Structure formats: C-alpha cells, structure tokens
Amino acid sequence: MSKQKVSIPQLKEWKEQGRKIRMVTAYDYPTALLVDKSEIEVILVGDSLGMVVLGYDGTVPVTMDEMVHHIKPVVRGARNTLIVGDMPFMSYNVSLEKAIENAGRLMKEGGADCVKLEGGLAMVPVVKALVDGGIPVMAHIGLTPQTASQLGGFKVQGKDEAAAQRMLTEAIKLEEAGAFSIVLEAIPAPLAKLITEKVGIPTIGIGAGVDCDGQVLVLHDMIGLFDRFVPKFVKKYANVSEDILTALNAYAEEVASGSFPAAEHSFTMKDEVLKKLY
Ligand code: KIV
C-alpha cells in the first residue's frame, strides 16, 4: 500500500501519541522518488543544497531562485511526502512583506507544503506574519548554519545556563507565534529533551539526541554521497560515493579495453542496407 501524505495537524497528534517523525533532505527528482517510496514522512528541501549539491562553502549564497528550482522536481517526485521548503539567507530578514512574498514563492511557484526558517526571538514577528498570511512555518533554532559565523562557527549551542534558557524561551515564543514544528540543531540532548517536553509542537532534532519528536538528516551525508564535511551527529547508512566511484572506474576500464559496449548494448542493421553504404 502506498503511503499517504501526512498533514501538518497530524504531526502534532503524532507528538501526543509518541510516534516519531522521520525527515530527510532531498533536492532533485530521482532522490525525491526514492524518499517517496520509503517510510519517511517529510522531505526538507534544505538550503544545505548550497553545500552538498551546488558546491558553495556554506548556505549563505543560496538564492530564492535556486530554492524554487530544486523544490519543483522534489514536489514532482514525492507526491505522498510532506515537503518543507527552506527559506534562504536574507529572504526573510529584510522585511515582513519580503518574507511573505518569498515564502509564498516557495509554495506557489515551488509547490512546497510549508516553509522553514532559521532563528530565535528576532524571527517571532516573521513567523507570526507568515502564519497569519496562511503559510505554515517550521522554525529552526540551535546551530543555525546561515548565521554560523555569528555563532562562532559550526559548534554545539546552548551549553551554558544562559544560552540554554534563551533557547527554551525561543522555542516557547516560536510556538506562540504559530510555528507548527521546530528543528533543534546541534544542542545538548538533555536540553532538547526539556524543550520537547515544554512545547506542544513537535521538535525535530539533528544532533539533538533521541528525545526529540522526530529526526532529520541531510541525505547526502547519511548515504555517504558527500564527505567534504561530515558533522559528528551524522550516521552513515550507506557509502554511495564508493559504489559510484567503483562503477565509474569499471566503465572507464571497459571503454579503454573495448569490452563496453558489448553486443547486447548495440544495435544492428540489415546486411543488404549496410552493403549499399560501402
Ligand atoms: O538545510 C538543511 O538541510 C537544514 C537541516 C540541516 C535541518 O536546515
């Protein structure tokens, strides 16, 4: 039986039932088809595509056009999976009008079911404006890669009492602003557990321990397709790079030796037709 797309209100019910939410990133049609065939309920078309697909050093250069371009094929490939479109850096920070316009683009042009944006207290008015405008918002706190330089790099957040207290307040305020879920990235597991207990909306962890209501990983990290930078919290479930490299070298050798293409990969024609050509 094919799976049914989960609804946003259902995710909250799952939290109440203790049923875990499974989310992974995807950025193109073939991987979207695969995720759609799997048991995973939510796809994030993350701005991590800047690093793992487009080869940027971080997520800051990613544009709205690039996000829309990648959301579209994912939507076409994953009809039965909830699709979250990530708002790129500076697409929601300039003004509320711009934020609504850009979030609207991810849904209207891209076809995403909802959007995600990074940030804590400063983003409360933005989340409220988007939700009031009818746009479902997933928040994202802790290590927020778009502002990693402000945070002192890609490191664990919320380790001291003040930072942990601030993060708890952020989660509560973002829920009050109307966010339907919150990603918690790279924070101590006990703090993620506390936040998960204190908010009524589902938390989705990445490097935030096992007690979150769900988990998310970057697809290219978990299948071993990108290894320029692999954070400690990533578990590699496959080593696709190795398989691809083996296939590429086998192909290269067979072309060089003339064993590819073989007869079964070639087309023939009638001898009499050929003879006339000689
Ligand atoms: O862009 C992304 O892939 C993300 C996840 C790391 C949560 O924001």
PDB file of all heavy atoms in Angstrom, residues 215-230:
ATOM      1  N   GLN A 215      13.410  13.195  13.783  1.00  0.00           N
ATOM      2  CA  GLN A 215      14.826  13.381  13.425  1.00  0.00           C
ATOM      3  C   GLN A 215      14.913  13.807  11.971  1.00  0.00           C
ATOM      4  O   GLN A 215      14.055  13.456  11.154  1.00  0.00           O
ATOM      5  CB  GLN A 215      15.608  12.065  13.599  1.00  0.00           C
ATOM      6  CG  GLN A 215      15.677  11.551  15.027  1.00  0.00           C
ATOM      7  CD  GLN A 215      16.535  12.412  15.958  1.00  0.00           C
ATOM      8  OE1 GLN A 215      17.522  13.033  15.541  1.00  0.00           O
ATOM      9  NE2 GLN A 215      16.159  12.467  17.234  1.00  0.00           N
ATOM     10  N   VAL A 216      15.966  14.549  11.655  1.00  0.00           N
ATOM     11  CA  VAL A 216      16.248  14.899  10.262  1.00  0.00           C
ATOM     12  C   VAL A 216      17.738  14.702  10.006  1.00  0.00           C
ATOM     13  O   VAL A 216      18.560  14.927  10.906  1.00  0.00           O
ATOM     14  CB  VAL A 216      15.835  16.360   9.919  1.00  0.00           C
ATOM     15  CG1 VAL A 216      16.481  17.382  10.825  1.00  0.00           C
ATOM     16  CG2 VAL A 216      16.122  16.698   8.453  1.00  0.00           C
ATOM     17  N   LEU A 217      18.073  14.239   8.812  1.00  0.00           N
ATOM     18  CA  LEU A 217      19.472  14.183   8.380  1.00  0.00           C
ATOM     19  C   LEU A 217      19.555  14.689   6.937  1.00  0.00           C
ATOM     20  O   LEU A 217      18.568  14.617   6.189  1.00  0.00           O
ATOM     21  CB  LEU A 217      20.025  12.761   8.438  1.00  0.00           C
ATOM     22  CG  LEU A 217      20.469  12.233   9.813  1.00  0.00           C
ATOM     23  CD1 LEU A 217      20.928  10.780   9.696  1.00  0.00           C
ATOM     24  CD2 LEU A 217      21.568  13.071  10.457  1.00  0.00           C
ATOM     25  N   VAL A 218      20.720  15.189   6.597  1.00  0.00           N
ATOM     26  CA  VAL A 218      20.979  15.583   5.210  1.00  0.00           C
ATOM     27  C   VAL A 218      21.244  14.295   4.419  1.00  0.00           C
ATOM     28  O   VAL A 218      22.128  13.509   4.764  1.00  0.00           O
ATOM     29  CB  VAL A 218      22.186  16.552   5.146  1.00  0.00           C
ATOM     30  CG1 VAL A 218      22.658  16.762   3.712  1.00  0.00           C
ATOM     31  CG2 VAL A 218      21.816  17.892   5.785  1.00  0.00           C
ATOM     32  N   LEU A 219      20.450  14.074   3.377  1.00  0.00           N
ATOM     33  CA  LEU A 219      20.518  12.823   2.606  1.00  0.00           C
ATOM     34  C   LEU A 219      21.944  12.492   2.157  1.00  0.00           C
ATOM     35  O   LEU A 219      22.414  11.367   2.324  1.00  0.00           O
ATOM     36  CB  LEU A 219      19.596  12.925   1.385  1.00  0.00           C
ATOM     37  CG  LEU A 219      19.561  11.677   0.512  1.00  0.00           C
ATOM     38  CD1 LEU A 219      18.689  10.612   1.140  1.00  0.00           C
ATOM     39  CD2 LEU A 219      19.077  11.984  -0.881  1.00  0.00           C
ATOM     40  N   HIS A 220      22.624  13.502   1.588  1.00  0.00           N
ATOM     41  CA  HIS A 220      23.953  13.248   1.028  1.00  0.00           C
ATOM     42  C   HIS A 220      24.948  12.824   2.108  1.00  0.00           C
ATOM     43  O   HIS A 220      25.905  12.114   1.821  1.00  0.00           O
ATOM     44  CB  HIS A 220      24.458  14.483   0.271  1.00  0.00           C
ATOM     45  CG  HIS A 220      23.718  14.718  -1.008  1.00  0.00           C
ATOM     46  ND1 HIS A 220      22.350  14.731  -1.068  1.00  0.00           N
ATOM     47  CD2 HIS A 220      24.157  14.919  -2.277  1.00  0.00           C
ATOM     48  CE1 HIS A 220      21.972  14.944  -2.325  1.00  0.00           C
ATOM     49  NE2 HIS A 220      23.051  15.063  -3.069  1.00  0.00           N
ATOM     50  N   ASP A 221      24.741  13.271   3.357  1.00  0.00           N
ATOM     51  CA  ASP A 221      25.596  12.850   4.464  1.00  0.00           C
ATOM     52  C   ASP A 221      25.276  11.404   4.849  1.00  0.00           C
ATOM     53  O   ASP A 221      26.167  10.580   5.020  1.00  0.00           O
ATOM     54  CB  ASP A 221      25.363  13.732   5.709  1.00  0.00           C
ATOM     55  CG  ASP A 221      25.853  15.164   5.519  1.00  0.00           C
ATOM     56  OD1 ASP A 221      26.675  15.397   4.615  1.00  0.00           O
ATOM     57  OD2 ASP A 221      25.402  16.043   6.280  1.00  0.00           O
ATOM     58  N   MET A 222      23.989  11.100   4.982  1.00  0.00           N
ATOM     59  CA  MET A 222      23.621   9.786   5.532  1.00  0.00           C
ATOM     60  C   MET A 222      23.838   8.649   4.542  1.00  0.00           C
ATOM     61  O   MET A 222      24.008   7.508   4.944  1.00  0.00           O
ATOM     62  CB  MET A 222      22.181   9.783   6.057  1.00  0.00           C
ATOM     63  CG  MET A 222      21.156  10.018   4.998  1.00  0.00           C
ATOM     64  SD  MET A 222      19.513   9.521   5.480  1.00  0.00           S
ATOM     65  CE  MET A 222      19.665   7.777   5.523  1.00  0.00           C
ATOM     66  N   ILE A 223      23.848   8.966   3.229  1.00  0.00           N
ATOM     67  CA  ILE A 223      24.120   7.891   2.263  1.00  0.00           C
ATOM     68  C   ILE A 223      25.580   7.919   1.794  1.00  0.00           C
ATOM     69  O   ILE A 223      25.966   7.154   0.917  1.00  0.00           O
ATOM     70  CB  ILE A 223      23.154   7.921   1.047  1.00  0.00           C
ATOM     71  CG1 ILE A 223      23.322   9.204   0.216  1.00  0.00           C
ATOM     72  CG2 ILE A 223      21.707   7.729   1.477  1.00  0.00           C
ATOM     73  CD1 ILE A 223      22.568   9.173  -1.110  1.00  0.00           C
ATOM     74  N   GLY A 224      26.362   8.813   2.389  1.00  0.00           N
ATOM     75  CA  GLY A 224      27.788   8.845   2.051  1.00  0.00           C
ATOM     76  C   GLY A 224      28.064   9.333   0.646  1.00  0.00           C
ATOM     77  O   GLY A 224      28.951   8.832  -0.040  1.00  0.00           O
ATOM     78  N   LEU A 225      27.288  10.350   0.228  1.00  0.00           N
ATOM     79  CA  LEU A 225      27.493  10.900  -1.121  1.00  0.00           C
ATOM     80  C   LEU A 225      28.303  12.189  -1.064  1.00  0.00           C
ATOM     81  O   LEU A 225      28.740  12.708  -2.069  1.00  0.00           O
ATOM     82  CB  LEU A 225      26.120  11.148  -1.786  1.00  0.00           C
ATOM     83  CG  LEU A 225      26.088  11.610  -3.237  1.00  0.00           C
ATOM     84  CD1 LEU A 225      26.866  10.663  -4.145  1.00  0.00           C
ATOM     85  CD2 LEU A 225      24.657  11.722  -3.740  1.00  0.00           C
ATOM     86  N   PHE A 226      28.483  12.716   0.138  1.00  0.00           N
ATOM     87  CA  PHE A 226      29.205  13.988   0.295  1.00  0.00           C
ATOM     88  C   PHE A 226      30.041  13.876   1.560  1.00  0.00           C
ATOM     89  O   PHE A 226      29.496  13.676   2.642  1.00  0.00           O
ATOM     90  CB  PHE A 226      28.199  15.137   0.446  1.00  0.00           C
ATOM     91  CG  PHE A 226      28.842  16.488   0.594  1.00  0.00           C
ATOM     92  CD1 PHE A 226      29.314  17.175  -0.518  1.00  0.00           C
ATOM     93  CD2 PHE A 226      28.979  17.073   1.843  1.00  0.00           C
ATOM     94  CE1 PHE A 226      29.899  18.426  -0.378  1.00  0.00           C
ATOM     95  CE2 PHE A 226      29.567  18.333   1.987  1.00  0.00           C
ATOM     96  CZ  PHE A 226      30.027  18.999   0.869  1.00  0.00           C
ATOM     97  N   ASP A 227      31.363  13.965   1.425  1.00  0.00           N
ATOM     98  CA  ASP A 227      32.157  13.794   2.648  1.00  0.00           C
ATOM     99  C   ASP A 227      33.184  14.905   2.855  1.00  0.00           C
ATOM    100  O   ASP A 227      34.150  14.731   3.562  1.00  0.00           O
ATOM    101  CB  ASP A 227      32.814  12.406   2.690  1.00  0.00           C
ATOM    102  CG  ASP A 227      33.568  12.111   1.412  1.00  0.00           C
ATOM    103  OD1 ASP A 227      33.820  13.064   0.645  1.00  0.00           O
ATOM    104  OD2 ASP A 227      33.888  10.929   1.180  1.00  0.00           O
ATOM    105  N   ARG A 228      32.904  16.089   2.222  1.00  0.00           N
ATOM    106  CA  ARG A 228      33.844  17.204   2.422  1.00  0.00           C
ATOM    107  C   ARG A 228      33.800  17.668   3.869  1.00  0.00           C
ATOM    108  O   ARG A 228      34.790  18.063   4.442  1.00  0.00           O
ATOM    109  CB  ARG A 228      33.473  18.358   1.478  1.00  0.00           C
ATOM    110  CG  ARG A 228      34.673  18.849   0.686  1.00  0.00           C
ATOM    111  CD  ARG A 228      34.273  19.855  -0.359  1.00  0.00           C
ATOM    112  NE  ARG A 228      33.931  21.130   0.224  1.00  0.00           N
ATOM    113  CZ  ARG A 228      33.246  22.079  -0.413  1.00  0.00           C
ATOM    114  NH1 ARG A 228      32.851  21.890  -1.651  1.00  0.00           N
ATOM    115  NH2 ARG A 228      32.962  23.215   0.176  1.00  0.00           N
ATOM    116  N   PHE A 229      32.611  17.597   4.472  1.00  0.00           N
ATOM    117  CA  PHE A 229      32.467  17.976   5.885  1.00  0.00           C
ATOM    118  C   PHE A 229      31.319  17.154   6.450  1.00  0.00           C
ATOM    119  O   PHE A 229      30.172  17.333   6.061  1.00  0.00           O
ATOM    120  CB  PHE A 229      32.168  19.477   5.995  1.00  0.00           C
ATOM    121  CG  PHE A 229      31.772  19.913   7.377  1.00  0.00           C
ATOM    122  CD1 PHE A 229      32.697  19.892   8.410  1.00  0.00           C
ATOM    123  CD2 PHE A 229      30.468  20.327   7.653  1.00  0.00           C
ATOM    124  CE1 PHE A 229      32.329  20.286   9.686  1.00  0.00           C
ATOM    125  CE2 PHE A 229      30.092  20.718   8.931  1.00  0.00           C
ATOM    126  CZ  PHE A 229      31.029  20.701   9.949  1.00  0.00           C
ATOM    127  N   VAL A 230      31.641  16.211   7.334  1.00  0.00           N
ATOM    128  CA  VAL A 230      30.579  15.378   7.918  1.00  0.00           C
ATOM    129  C   VAL A 230      30.530  15.611   9.425  1.00  0.00           C
ATOM    130  O   VAL A 230      31.453  15.245  10.159  1.00  0.00           O
ATOM    131  CB  VAL A 230      30.798  13.872   7.614  1.00  0.00           C
ATOM    132  CG1 VAL A 230      29.647  13.053   8.172  1.00  0.00           C
ATOM    133  CG2 VAL A 230      30.921  13.639   6.123  1.00  0.00           C
TER     134      VAL A 230
END
